Amino acid sequence: MKLTLLLPLASFWSTAVAAEYFFRFSGSTKYPDINNQRLRSNASDTPGVTLAPHNPADHFSRLAVANPSDPYTPLLVVPTNPHPPPIPGYYGLSDRDGVPNALRLVYTYRPEDEGRYFNYREWHLQRLLGRCGPNGRLVLSYRPVTGAPWRWFAVKEKTPAGIDKWVPWYIKRSPDNEAIMATWEYDTVVIDLAEAGPVNSQAPGGVEE
């Protein structure tokens, strides 16, 4: 499976970054309220953005870079509550929904159970300068390869409680998924990584701010 994301050439891999992060949406023009919002667990293995007011027990989806010196690396789950299990968890791209050329961002502690096309070993981070401060933004994609571009999309779903939740999909637009996407409410977005503060399981979002 080929995945790609075209990013400006004036970018670089940097190891001088914080050890832990949160996923964050940016770049939506249709739904600006989701911009700069960190993704929360929402009692699901798919992180997503819900609008305020939030349940304080609904923690942000926290992650760590497994190999900071390597431009292609797994992303590790860092639980805020409860304490982590004895095996590592990973964020990856899943084809479990069966939508052609469309992969959902999920986490799992058993990647071997996620199927043949669960992609989690080759996340790519790029520091884009000149955006949102002197340090720019640390932008997330999957391993860039040749071929048609894959992009992040924020797709609106409903939680079991009936709350609107914007979840990240990595999609290559094609005739095979055009009819399905026509039934969705979505916008193209960027996912960047926001630096994470200290863990506090009792604090809103699971982090001191």
Side-chain angles (χ1 to χ4, degrees), residues 1-4 25 45-47 91-107 114-120 122-123 141-143 149-155 157 167-174 177 180-181 184 189 191:
M1 179 170 291
K2 293 184 177 181
L3 303 176
T4 185
F25 281 149
D45 65 356
T46 299
Y91 289 100
L93 297 168
S94 171
D95 68 340
R96 70 187 185 193
D97 293 86
V99 181
N101 297 318
L103 304 171
R104 176 191 290 269
L105 177 66
V106 303
Y107 74 82
E114 291 295 326
R116 179 179 177 185
Y117 294 114
F118 182 65
N119 302 272
Y120 73 99
E122 296 183 293
W123 289 105
S141 64
Y142 206 74
R143 182 179 179 90
W150 290 68
R151 293 199 60 180
W152 286 111
F153 288 74
V155 180
E157 301 179 350
V167 300
W169 286 68
Y170 208 50
I171 299 174
K172 180 178 71 173
R173 298 295 299 269
S174 70
N177 57 38
I180 296 174
M181 292 188 66
W184 292 356
V189 293
I191 290 185

Side-chain angles (χ1 to χ4, degrees), residues 72-153:
Y72 302 111
T73 176
L75 298 181
L76 302 175
V77 177
V78 181
T80 56
N81 185 26
H83 295 296
I87 57 175
Y90 299 94
Y91 289 100
L93 297 168
S94 171
D95 68 340
R96 70 187 185 193
D97 293 86
V99 181
N101 297 318
L103 304 171
R104 176 191 290 269
L105 177 66
V106 303
Y107 74 82
T108 181
Y109 289 90
R110 298 185 61 84
E112 66 275 9
D113 293 344
E114 291 295 326
R116 179 179 177 185
Y117 294 114
F118 182 65
N119 302 272
Y120 73 99
R121 296 182 182 276
E122 296 183 293
W123 289 105
H124 184 62
L125 304 178
Q126 288 184 294
R127 178 74 72 182
L128 301 187
L129 299 179
R131 299 187 181 188
C132 298
N135 294 325
R137 285 197 168 190
L138 195 60
V139 173
L140 180 68
S141 64
Y142 206 74
R143 182 179 179 90
V145 294
T146 58
W150 290 68
R151 293 199 60 180
W152 286 111
F153 288 74

Side-chain angles (χ1 to χ4, degrees), residues 55-59 79-83 198-209:
N55 179 351
D58 186 9
H59 288 182
T80 56
N81 185 26
H83 295 296
V199 172
N200 180 347
S201 294
Q202 303 305 314
V207 60
E208 296 176 6
E209 298 191 83

Side-chain angles (χ1 to χ4, degrees), residues 16-98:
V17 289
E20 296 180 1
Y21 307 91
F22 303 120
F23 298 105
R24 180 172 59 187
F25 281 149
S26 63
S28 175
T29 56
K30 292 182 183 177
Y31 310 105
D33 286 348
I34 70 173
N35 286 333
N36 300 312
Q37 297 296 316
R38 289 169 288 185
L39 277 59
R40 296 170 179 263
S41 61
N42 296 287
S44 167
D45 65 356
T46 299
V49 166
T50 55
L51 301 182
H54 294 112
N55 179 351
D58 186 9
H59 288 182
F60 299 119
S61 295
R62 192 180 186 98
L63 65 136
V65 177
N67 302 314
S69 61
D70 191 333
Y72 302 111
T73 176
L75 298 181
L76 302 175
V77 177
V78 181
T80 56
N81 185 26
H83 295 296
I87 57 175
Y90 299 94
Y91 289 100
L93 297 168
S94 171
D95 68 340
R96 70 187 185 193
D97 293 86

